[in-house]
Amino acid sequence: MSENISLNEIEKRIIFHIDFDYFYAQCEEIRRPELRNIPSVVCVYSGREEDSGVVSTCNYEARKYGVRAAMPIKLAKSKLEDVHSIFLPTDMPYYHEISSKAMRIIQNYGELFEQVSVDECYMDFTKITNSDFDDARIFAVSLQKSIKDQIKLTCSIGVAPNKLIAKIASGINKPNGITVVRQEEAKQFMSNCRIEDIPGVGPKTSKKLQSLGIKTVSDISHKSIFELRDALGYKIATLLVNASNGIDYSQIKIRGTSKQIGKIVTLKKDCTSFEQVRLIVESICKSVFENLENKRQAFRVLTLILILENLQHVSFSKSLKLHSASIDELNKNSLSILNEMITSNSISLDIIRRIGVVISELKDISGQDSLLNYFEN
DNA sequence: CCCTCGATCAC
DNA sequence: CCTCATATCGAGGG
């Protein structure tokens, strides 16, 4: 913890984690209320084949049949066979519109605000509530009501002494729920959680812990960071030991613009010639570059990512000497990296499933006179 | 200290 | 069956 804030102040915080319920599917219900009564599934279609892709979100009606986020569309369809249901593609611009309206309402409540994603944010309510959890609950109810009244959107709120617990708590009484965890309940609350409930613990970390014989949050709380460091790395070890004791010092931080811009696409099955791949890389570059232009920024690092048939990821990156805002530069470098990757790793074109381009080390160039082709100095 | 690359997470 | 975008960590090499 590098922030200079006293422990005393840290422990008196009241943090909200606000999570919009089944967000994409609920957005669809907002513009088409008739969807409320039937299972609806919002999907990311990869275009590789008819119905290839995954479920992004689904409403609770669909969940009754076992449909879940990240599930292949084909599997979801099989679960809803013979059921009157609807499958829709994502419409991100529309979801962002709804999201901004809701986020604006939340921000108007006052203090430090951190938007984590399109459907999730944190807000510090310490001052407004004077560290009183009863007050905080009233604010949570009022916030839910404002959002519901103004845009017909429901959300779930976790109220806790830190971000970690607020985040876990918001998921407990979903949808349209409020869960309050006080400072004095923090450790007990954590010990009732499963290890996988801790944000930052995924399948890999879970498995490592299991192989160490660690099965519960209480098991972790009896370990030292030192004991876990070798297996998990310093950061995760620290996170886990603190979390298991109900502690999380991380602060709400106002997020600036993103630090990278990227796009990954899935190749059609019949795409095998280098010429086809080249055109795809160029179209990805175009889209990434448009994004960069809109933000009036230049990039210095670009990374090309290949995802192979066996879902293995291979990435190569290149740092430029100077920042660039030239699409030609982006194209040229992407293609040269692609060539290098294919030859040096002896990757044949037909085992490439997905291709991505990411640019990073971004820098604002608004105010520069030539945006089209800008080089530092 | 910078660069590159892979891993992991979670949306 | 297997998307997509972003952030962060850590190792290893210079």
Side-chain angles (χ1 to χ4, degrees):
Chain A
M1 202 198 35
S2 53
E3 296 86 356
N4 53 356
I5 176 167
S6 76
L7 210 59
N8 193 16
E9 280 177 65
I10 282 275
E11 295 196 333
K12 285 197 305 200
R13 291 184 302 165
I14 293 188
I15 308 291
F16 281 29
H17 179 258
I18 301 153
D19 198 322
F20 305 153
D21 300 320
Y22 65 104
F23 186 55
Y24 299 173
Q26 195 181 175
C27 288
E28 297 295 346
E29 289 178 355
I30 290 171
R31 64 176 162 190
R32 294 171 61 184
E34 71 273 16
L35 297 183
R36 288 183 187 279
N37 306 313
I38 60 169
S40 68
V41 185
V42 179
C43 305
V44 180
Y45 288 93
S46 68
R48 188 172 175 80
E49 292 175 80
E50 169 90 344
D51 281 353
S52 65
V54 296
V55 172
S56 190
T57 332
C58 61
N59 67 2
Y60 282 80
E61 281 300 312
R63 291 180 201 194
K64 289 183 189 167
Y65 295 89
V67 179
R68 294 288 179 274
M71 176 181 278
I73 296 167
K74 284 171 192 163
L75 182 53
K77 287 211 166 168
S78 77
K79 288 187 182 289
L80 289 170
E81 240 183 359
D82 310 322
V83 181
H84 179 50
S85 61
I86 184 161
F87 285 72
L88 301 162
T90 56
D91 178 357
M92 293 312 296
Y94 170 61
Y95 309 148
H96 275 287
E97 221 178 276
I98 302 233
S99 171
S100 343
K101 284 184 193 161
M103 294 292 178
R104 214 171 300 134
I105 293 171
I106 296 167
Q107 283 185 77
N108 281 340
Y109 273 73
E111 296 174 58
L112 291 175
F113 170 82
E114 173 177 358
Q115 183 167 346
V116 181
S117 69
V118 70
D119 66 349
E120 235 181 274
C121 66
Y122 292 100
M123 178 106 170
D124 191 322
F125 274 79
T126 310
K127 277 200 188 127
I128 322 172
T129 61
N130 200 16
S131 297
D132 181 327
F133 276 93
D134 293 322
D135 256 24
R137 185 187 286 276
I138 293 167
F139 271 107
V141 172
S142 148
L143 191 49
Q144 272 184 336
K145 188 173 182 324
S146 300
I147 299 174
K148 184 71 192 296
D149 288 350
Q150 292 176 50
I151 46 186
K152 312 260 178 277
L153 181 77
T154 70
C155 64
S156 295
I157 305 182
V159 180
N162 59 52
K163 285 167 76 173
L164 166 85
I165 296 180
K167 164 112 179 161
I168 300 174
S170 71
I172 290 182
N173 289 311
K174 262 183 163 297
N176 200 25
I178 294 174
T179 302
V180 180
V181 180
R182 289 151 197 271
Q183 172 66 43
E184 57 271 26
E185 303 164 325
K187 179 152 186 180
Q188 181 62 44
F189 175 85
M190 287 309 299
S191 69
N192 291 336
C193 293
R194 294 165 308 170
I195 292 176
E196 317 85 74
D197 296 335
I198 300 173
V201 177
K204 302 287 181 179
T205 309
S206 254
K207 193 135 187 238
K208 286 178 196 164
L209 287 167
Q210 227 169 41
S211 72
L212 294 174
I214 296 168
K215 294 191 288 287
T216 67
V217 170
S218 298
D219 291 344
I220 299 173
S221 71
H222 295 124
K223 300 278 178 191
S224 68
I225 293 171
F226 177 75
E227 287 174 274
L228 299 177
R229 196 184 53 184
D230 283 352
L232 306 172
Y234 178 75
K235 284 287 182 179
I236 294 274
T238 307
L239 169 90
L240 284 182
V241 171
N242 280 337
S244 68
N245 287 294
I247 294 167
D248 169 29
Y249 297 124
S250 64
Q251 308 251 2
I252 292 205
K253 52 171 189 291
I254 297 119
R255 303 214 175 186
T257 52
S258 28
K259 297 180 171 128
Q260 54 181 234
I261 299 169
K263 185 174 176 66
I264 301 182
V265 304
T266 301
L267 269 45
K268 300 263 189 291
K269 268 198 164 161
D270 56 5
C271 177
T272 46
S273 82
F274 185 81
E275 184 58 15
Q276 285 172 313
V277 175
R278 186 179 69 80
L279 288 174
I280 288 169
V281 170
E282 284 179 353
S283 80
I284 299 172
C285 287
K286 181 163 182 282
S287 138
V288 167
F289 186 77
E290 277 168 9
N291 208 330
L292 183 77
E293 262 186 325
N294 288 336
K295 299 167 83 175
R296 312 257 169 215
Q297 290 184 314
F299 70 97
R300 198 173 61 80
V301 175
L302 77 156
T303 305
L304 206 86
I305 301 165
L306 298 185
I307 294 136
L308 309 181
E309 245 172 14
N310 58 6
L311 300 185
Q312 187 200 341
H313 289 54
V314 189
S315 71
F316 263 75
S317 51
K318 178 170 179 171
S319 299
L320 307 178
K321 291 248 161 54
L322 304 169
H323 278 83
S324 164
S326 140
I327 180 122
D328 292 338
E329 185 111 4
L330 182 57
N331 271 329
K332 193 187 72 187
N333 285 291
S334 300
L335 288 167
S336 88
I337 294 174
L338 176 68
N339 254 319
E340 204 182 318
M341 284 172 88
I342 289 173
T343 53
S344 73
N345 289 36
S346 58
I347 293 168
S348 69
L349 288 178
D350 57 344
I351 64 163
I352 301 173
R353 184 188 175 97
R354 304 170 66 209
I355 299 184
V357 174
V358 179
I359 53 180
S360 51
E361 290 296 308
L362 307 177
K363 192 180 87 167
D364 283 352
I365 55 170
S366 58
Q368 298 288 339
D369 27 12
S370 170
L371 294 177
L372 287 178
N373 196 329
Y374 166 83
F375 296 94
E376 188 178 277
N377 298 328

